[in-house]
Amino acid sequence: MIVKDSTVYASADAISLSGKKEPARDEIESCRILLVEDEPGDAHLIRSILCMARSVNFDITWVTTLAEARAQLHDSPPHDVLLLDLSLPDSSGLDTVHAGRQAADRLPLIVLTGRDDTDFALQTLTLGAQDYLVKGCFDTDSLVRAIRYAISRRRLEQRLAETGMHLQTLTNALPDIVCFKDGEGRWLEANDFTLRLFQLDNIHYRGRKSSELALYQKFYREAFIECEASDEAVWQARGIRHSEETIPRPDGSSLIFHITKVPLFHEDGRRKGLVVFGRDITAHKQVEARQRLAVRVFETTGEAIMVTDADANIVAVNPAFMRITGYTEQEIAGKNPRILASGRHDAFFYQSLWQSLHQSGEWVGEIWNKRKNGQIFPEWVTLSVVRDEAGSVTNYMAVFADLSEIRYAQETVELLAWNDTLTGLANRALFLKQLEQLLAHVRREGGFAEVLLINIDRFKNINEARGFAVGDALLKKVAERLSRILKPGQLLARLDSDEFAILLPELSACLEAAGREALALSETLRAVLHESIELEGEAVHFDVSIGIALLSEPLQETATDVLRQADMAMAKAKAKGGGNTVFFETAMGEGIKERFRLEGELRAAIGSNQLRLYLQPQVNAAGRQVGAEALVRWQHPERGLIPPDQFIPLAEATGLITALDRWVLAAVCRLLADLENEGAALSISVNISPRHFRQADFAENIKHLLAVNGVSPAHLILEVTEGLMIADMNDVVAKMTELTGLGVHFSMDDFGTGYSSLAYLKRLPIHELKIDKSFIQEATVDPSDAALVEVILSVAQHLNLRVVAEGVETQVQADFLNARGPIIHQGYLYGRPEPVESWRARLHSAETA
C-alpha cells in the first residue's frame, strides 16, 4: 500500500507565477539519501532497488538507529531525502516520525514500515511525513517516483517561499477566500482568511485534495466534497466560472460567498492549476433581501401606504391604497392628499395634526376620508416624517387601514366565535358560557335547571351512505325543527357533528318538577324528529338518544362537568340501542372516575414492569407445538393479575394500545432471540391493533426491534383484524408489503366475522388465516358453522394460506378439523395461556422427551 500525502505529483512541472513550464529546475540527476533501517536485509533490498534506477544517481548513507541519523544530519553534507523505518532499536511507531521530523527539519521524509494500515498512515502524514511505503509493496519505479515527488515538492515549496512572500502578505490581508490548487486539485496555498473560515489553521492541508481534507474537518465535509465537484466542472468547462455558495458556520449561521474559479492549463492543454477567489457577500445579500422584502410588503400588505415628497405631493401609493380609495396611481400621483378629504374635520383638526407630526415625527389616529366614488369611510392612520442625515424633511408617509372592513371583520369574528357556521345555532363556547352563568344563578337562588344532550342515532351511516352534503342538510333540518318547539330564553346549540344541546334556564322548585319538564321536552323532541325529513326527494327516518343532567344547589361542578354528565347519560341511552332518554346518575360519574384512575394506572404500568408476557401454544395435527400466540397480562401491585378484557378495551379507547402493542412486540422479539440462540426457534404471533398499525412509524419500529435483537423476521407473525381494512388501503398494503419483503408474516385474525375479508384478501400479502373460535365451537353441531369453516378452508387452500383454528377445546372439534386438512390448532385442549417462563419450561421438556 502507498498512501500519498500533500506532495505535488504532476511529475516535476511546477506551477510558476508566469504560468510557464520550468522542467530544468525540477530535473533530478543525483540524490543523496539518508536511509535509517535496522534490518540489514531490508536496507540491502532498498539499496538494490535504488541502484536499479537508471534516471537518477542515488548516493545512499545507511544508519541503523535514530541517534546515528541525528549525527549524520548534523555533521554530514546535506541530504535530499530521509527514508525512515518506524521500528528502530531506539524508537518506534509515531514517536519515530515525530523525532525524525524534528531532526530533519524541512528535509523530505518518507516512512518505511511493514504496517499496512490506512488510519496509521494518515497519522504519519499528519505528523509531517510526505509518503508512506509498506515494505514488500513497492518496486523501483514506485520508490523512485515517491523520492522524485518528495524532492519536487520540497523544491516547489522553496520556490513558492522565494517568489510568493509578497503575494502571501497581500492575500493574507484580504478578507476574502484566496486559494491555489495544482492540476489535480491538491491545495498548494491558502490565505489566513480561508484557513480560519474552514478551521484548517492546525491541519497540514498542503498537497491534499478537498475530499481528503473532509476527513479532518467533518463539519465542512459536504462543503469540501461539493468544492471538489465544482473544481472538476470548471476544468471541464475550461473557462472562468462565477457562482454563489452558502457556507455554514459552526454557530448555526451561514455566509454567502461570490466564488470565482480560474482554471490554468499548460501549453499542451494539460491541467496546471486552479485559482479560487471568494468574496463575502452576506451583508449585500441581506440588504437585497430586505429591499425585496420591503417592496413585497409595500405591494402586498393589506394596509394602504401613501408616500409624499417634502411639499406633501403624492409620489407613491401601494395596491392596497388603490383598492381602498378607488384611485389609480396615475390619477393620484402629484396630487395633494387633501383630495381625499371628507369635509368632516375642521381646520383646527388638521392644524393640530401637522403640529404634532412635526414635533414628535409621528401622528396616530382616526380620520374620515372620501373614496373616488364619493363614499365616506373611517380609517386608522399612522403618519410619519422621513428626514435625511441633516435632519431635513424629505418625505411624509401615511399607513392606514379601512376601519369599515376591520369593523365588519370584527363582527364576523364575533359571530363565528359564538355561533355554529353550518346551522347558525349557538356553538359549544357560547353554550358553556351561558351554562356557567346559569350555574352561578342556581347557586344564588336555589332551585333546579336542566341540560339536554341530543345525538342522532346512526348519523354516521347516513353520512357514509348518502354523502356529507346530505348529512349537512339533515343537520340544518334538525336545527330548524328543534328551534321551532323551544320557548324564548331556552338555548339551543350545536356542539359537535350530530350532537345538539338544550339549556332550560327556568328554575323549578323541586327535583321531580324539573325532571318531569325535562322528560316531557325530550319526548316532544323525539316525536318531532321522528317524523321523516325529505332530502333530495327521499324520506329519511331516524331517531335520537337524549341524555339529561339536572342542575341544583349546592353545586360544585363546572359547566364542563355538567356537560360531561349529560354526555354520559346520552352514551348510556345509545348503549341501549338508541331512541332512548336517560337521566344522569351519580353512579355513572363514579364509573367514569374509576375509568380515568385505571387509565392512569395502566399508563404507569406500561413503563414500570407491571406487564407480563403470556403465551398459548399452537400445535399441528400430530399435537406437536409449531408456534404460539403472545398475550399480555397486567400484574397490578395491589389488585393482582388483571385479565385483558378489563384493560385492553380501555387501552383501545384511550390510545394506550399503541404503547401496549410495542411493549409486547419488544418482549416477543427478545424471546425469539433467546429461542433462536437455544436452537428452539418457532413462530410467535402478536396481535396488532389497527390504531397501532396506522402509526406512521409502525414499519420502522418493527424493523428496528428485529435488528437490535438479531431476530429472523420469518419467526414473527403479525395478526391483523378486518377492522384494519376500513383505513387507507394503499397505506395498509404498502406497510404490509414492506415488512413481508423482510420475511415477516401476516395473519388475518377472526377471519369470517367481518365484512371485508374476501373483498380485500387478494390485495394483501397475507400468509395465514385464523378461524374465529365462534365457528369452531359450534362446527360439530351446527351445519351452518361447519359450512362456514369449510368455505374458509377452501379459500385458504386456493390462496395457498396456512390456517389456524382458535378455540379448540374438545377432541371432537380437533377430529373435525383434522378430517378437513392440515390445520394448526389453538385452544384449551392443548394449553391455556401461561407465563412465558412456564411456557418455555414446557417447551424444553417436550423437546427432550
Side-chain angles (χ1 to χ4, degrees):
M1 180 185 74
I2 303 177
V3 178
K4 305 295 184 185
D5 87 325
S6 55
T7 320
V8 179
Y9 294 113
S11 70
D13 296 335
I15 301 172
S16 67
L17 293 179
S18 65
K20 295 181 179 180
K21 222 181 209 183
E22 298 182 0
R25 298 174 65 182
D26 280 342
E27 291 296 333
I28 302 173
E29 298 179 356
S30 63
C31 177
R32 287 180 54 81
I33 302 291
L34 177 59
L35 172 62
V36 187
E37 171 61 69
D38 65 331
E39 289 291 337
D42 289 345
H44 177 71
L45 178 60
I46 292 171
R47 297 181 68 175
S48 299
I49 288 175
L50 292 177
C51 287
M52 294 173 64
R54 299 178 179 179
S55 59
V56 182
N57 179 27
F58 290 101
D59 180 4
I60 303 170
T61 301
W62 171 38
V63 297
T64 59
T65 67
L66 190 59
E68 292 176 327
R70 288 194 184 97
Q72 284 287 333
L73 291 169
H74 183 266
D75 299 331
S76 300
H79 293 81
D80 296 311
V81 176
L82 173 63
L83 297 182
L84 180 64
D85 180 24
L86 295 189
S87 298
L88 300 173
D90 53 351
S91 181
S92 63
L94 296 176
D95 291 340
T96 307
V97 180
H98 183 69
R101 183 71 284 160
Q102 286 185 324
D105 190 22
R106 300 184 60 82
L107 188 68
L109 186 155
I110 299 176
V111 168
L112 302 174
T113 180
R115 184 173 177 178
D116 189 355
D117 185 335
T118 300
D119 290 338
F120 183 73
L122 288 174
Q123 294 181 57
T124 64
L125 299 180
T126 302
L127 289 176
Q130 294 186 9
D131 217 332
Y132 180 95
L133 303 182
V134 179
K135 295 178 182 179
C137 296
F138 60 83
D139 56 13
T140 299
D141 288 342
S142 58
L143 179 56
V144 172
R145 184 167 55 252
I147 293 172
R148 283 180 177 274
Y149 289 165
I151 295 174
S152 294
R153 182 191 171 197
R154 173 58 178 158
R155 290 178 178 178
L156 177 61
E157 288 176 347
Q158 289 174 342
R159 290 199 297 273
L160 287 175
E162 294 169 358
T163 62
M165 183 179 301
H166 297 298
L167 177 62
Q168 184 175 11
T169 302
L170 174 62
T171 58
N172 283 339
L174 293 175
D176 304 302
I177 294 174
V178 180
C179 178
F180 302 95
K181 300 179 182 179
D182 69 10
E184 295 190 12
R186 297 180 175 86
W187 288 49
L188 300 176
E189 193 65 54
N191 69 339
D192 291 346
F193 178 85
T194 305
L195 300 181
R196 289 194 303 271
L197 177 65
F198 293 106
Q199 299 180 354
L200 298 174
D201 312 62
N202 299 317
I203 293 176
H204 190 67
Y205 70 90
R206 292 183 178 88
R208 291 190 169 89
K209 294 183 177 181
S210 296
S211 56
E212 294 173 329
L213 293 177
L215 300 174
Y216 295 91
Q217 183 48 269
K218 294 185 178 179
F219 179 82
Y220 292 105
R221 181 177 182 276
E222 292 185 7
F224 281 128
I225 293 175
E226 290 175 2
C227 176
E228 191 164 291
S230 174
D231 292 350
E232 180 62 29
V234 172
W235 269 314
Q236 293 286 348
R238 304 185 70 83
I240 299 175
R241 180 174 177 178
H242 302 278
S243 64
E244 288 186 8
E245 298 183 14
T246 300
I247 299 177
R249 306 292 294 139
D251 61 3
S253 63
S254 59
L255 298 176
I256 304 174
F257 282 83
H258 180 272
I259 302 294
T260 299
K261 293 190 176 182
V262 182
L264 304 175
F265 296 91
H266 290 288
E267 293 178 357
D268 59 3
R270 289 181 298 112
R271 297 177 182 180
K272 187 174 186 180
L274 186 71
V275 179
V276 181
F277 179 80
R279 171 145 295 174
D280 185 353
I281 59 172
T282 307
H284 177 69
K285 301 296 286 187
Q286 290 172 346
V287 170
E288 286 184 345
R290 284 196 294 269
Q291 290 175 342
R292 287 194 301 271
L293 180 61
V295 172
R296 184 64 177 165
V297 170
F298 183 81
E299 293 178 345
T300 62
T301 182
E303 294 183 314
I305 301 176
M306 176 180 66
V307 182
T308 76
D309 59 20
D311 297 323
N313 297 313
I314 298 173
V315 295
V317 295
N318 71 338
F321 176 93
M322 293 183 280
R323 174 177 53 80
I324 292 174
T325 67
Y327 288 100
T328 65
E329 188 170 10
Q330 292 76 16
E331 293 171 330
I332 205 76
K335 300 290 195 308
N336 189 282
R338 68 172 63 94
I339 192 175
L340 302 174
S342 65
R344 288 198 176 191
H345 305 288
D346 56 21
F348 178 76
F349 173 84
Y350 289 109
Q351 290 173 0
S352 299
L353 181 154
W354 281 101
Q355 183 179 2
S356 175
L357 181 61
H358 284 122
Q359 287 178 349
S360 64
E362 185 179 78
W363 184 89
V364 179
E366 183 177 310
I367 294 180
W368 285 83
N369 271 332
K370 183 173 61 177
R371 307 185 206 273
K372 180 182 177 181
N373 62 8
Q375 181 186 14
I376 296 174
F377 68 100
E379 64 183 42
W380 187 261
V381 62
T382 299
L383 300 175
S384 303
V385 178
V386 180
R387 300 180 185 273
D388 59 20
E389 295 180 354
S392 301
V393 175
T394 60
N395 300 93
Y396 297 99
M397 185 169 64
V399 179
F400 62 87
D402 185 346
L403 288 185
S404 58
E405 294 184 3
I406 293 177
R407 286 169 183 169
Y408 173 76
Q410 289 173 337
E411 293 172 359
T412 303
V413 170
E414 182 75 11
L415 182 64
L416 293 175
W418 301 110
N419 293 87
D420 174 52
T421 55
L422 178 66
T423 63
L425 300 176
N427 62 10
R428 178 183 291 270
L430 181 56
F431 188 84
L432 288 172
K433 179 181 178 182
Q434 298 284 6
L435 178 54
E436 199 66 63
Q437 293 175 357
L438 180 58
L439 287 172
H441 183 62
V442 171
R443 294 187 185 103
R444 290 194 308 268
E445 305 296 332
F448 298 87
E450 306 89 35
V451 170
L452 283 73
L453 197 62
I454 306 160
N455 186 271
I456 300 175
D457 294 331
R458 291 173 290 281
F459 177 74
K460 181 180 179 182
N461 295 343
I462 298 174
N463 252 349
E464 292 178 349
R466 304 288 299 278
F468 291 111
V470 173
D472 288 348
L474 176 61
L475 293 173
K476 291 179 181 178
K477 292 286 188 181
V478 170
E480 292 172 4
R481 289 194 178 183
L482 293 177
S483 299
R484 286 200 300 266
I485 64 174
L486 293 182
K487 300 176 183 179
Q490 295 177 338
L491 179 64
L492 171 64
R494 177 176 176 239
L495 304 186
D496 184 22
S497 184
D498 59 331
E499 192 171 88
F500 297 83
I502 296 175
L503 184 62
L504 305 180
E506 300 89 353
L507 298 181
S508 300
C510 64
L511 178 64
E512 290 184 7
R516 284 196 302 271
E517 179 183 8
L519 187 58
L521 179 59
S522 70
E523 292 303 315
T524 302
L525 295 174
R526 292 187 60 244
V528 169
L529 296 176
H530 193 65
E531 298 175 7
S532 64
I533 294 178
E534 185 172 327
L535 295 172
E536 295 186 348
E538 183 177 344
V540 177
H541 297 272
F542 62 93
D543 209 334
V544 295
S545 298
I546 301 176
I548 301 175
L550 299 178
L551 291 68
S552 63
E553 197 277 330
L555 282 171
Q556 301 298 325
E557 291 88 352
T558 64
T560 302
D561 294 332
V562 173
L563 199 57
R564 187 184 297 115
Q565 292 172 357
D567 184 68
M568 285 187 282
M570 184 269 292
K572 189 170 184 181
K574 291 186 77 70
K576 290 183 176 182
N580 287 287
T581 300
V582 173
F583 283 85
F584 172 77
E585 299 173 2
T586 304
M588 290 185 191
E590 294 301 323
I592 292 296
K593 292 178 183 178
E594 171 63 18
R595 183 174 178 274
F596 286 156
R597 186 168 71 87
L598 192 63
E599 176 189 346
E601 292 179 352
L602 177 58
R603 192 180 302 275
I606 295 174
S608 58
N609 198 32
Q610 295 182 25
L611 300 181
R612 300 291 182 266
L613 183 65
Y614 274 55
L615 292 110
Q616 186 175 25
Q618 297 174 339
V619 304
N620 58 17
R624 178 176 171 272
Q625 184 171 183
V626 294
E629 179 177 0
L631 305 166
V632 63
R633 300 291 185 267
W634 179 5
Q635 185 66 48
H636 195 283
E638 299 174 359
R639 307 183 194 185
L641 195 65
I642 300 179
D645 59 355
Q646 293 185 22
F647 66 89
I648 294 295
L650 176 63
E652 288 278 8
T654 59
L656 289 174
I657 192 65
T658 297
L660 202 62
D661 273 6
R662 292 187 175 184
W663 183 92
V664 175
L665 281 167
V668 166
C669 286
R670 290 193 296 270
L671 173 61
L672 286 173
D674 292 342
L675 294 176
E676 290 177 12
N677 292 334
E678 296 166 1
L682 46 69
S683 297
I684 296 181
S685 303
V686 180
N687 196 284
I688 301 299
S689 162
R691 183 191 290 260
H692 181 201
F693 188 94
R694 295 183 192 116
Q695 296 294 312
D697 63 344
F698 172 76
E700 289 301 320
N701 183 60
I702 297 293
K703 291 191 289 186
H704 173 72
L705 288 174
L706 292 170
V708 297
N709 290 284
V711 176
S712 170
H715 293 143
L716 179 63
I717 300 176
L718 303 180
E719 295 185 7
V720 296
T721 61
E722 297 176 14
L724 186 65
M725 304 312 130
I726 64 176
D728 181 353
M729 194 61 184
N730 292 331
D731 180 66
V732 172
V733 172
K735 288 178 179 175
M736 293 179 68
T737 302
E738 181 180 1
L739 291 174
T740 53
L742 295 176
V744 175
H745 290 178
F746 279 90
S747 173
M748 180 68 76
D749 196 15
D750 299 336
F751 185 75
T753 61
Y755 59 89
S756 61
S757 299
L758 294 178
Y760 291 109
L761 191 59
K762 64 180 181 180
R763 293 187 58 188
L764 301 176
I766 296 292
H767 300 83
E768 174 184 285
L769 298 181
K770 294 193 77 173
I771 305 177
D772 187 67
K773 65 181 180 182
S774 62
F775 299 145
I776 301 301
Q777 291 175 347
E778 300 295 328
T780 58
V781 294
D782 187 334
S784 296
D785 283 348
L788 285 172
V789 171
E790 290 179 348
V791 168
I792 294 173
L793 293 176
S794 176
V795 170
Q797 180 181 3
H798 283 85
L799 295 179
N800 196 28
L801 302 176
R802 194 173 82 152
V803 177
V804 176
E806 294 183 298
V808 182
E809 299 180 356
T810 67
Q811 188 60 46
V812 174
Q813 295 167 350
D815 294 340
F816 170 83
L817 294 170
N818 288 333
R820 284 159 176 78
I823 301 174
I824 306 301
H825 299 188
Q826 179 180 338
Y828 289 171
L829 180 63
Y830 305 100
R832 294 176 176 271
E834 58 183 332
V836 61
E837 298 80 9
S838 305
W839 177 83
R840 290 184 67 175
R842 194 182 304 278
L843 177 67
H844 291 314
S845 63
E847 291 176 350
T848 56

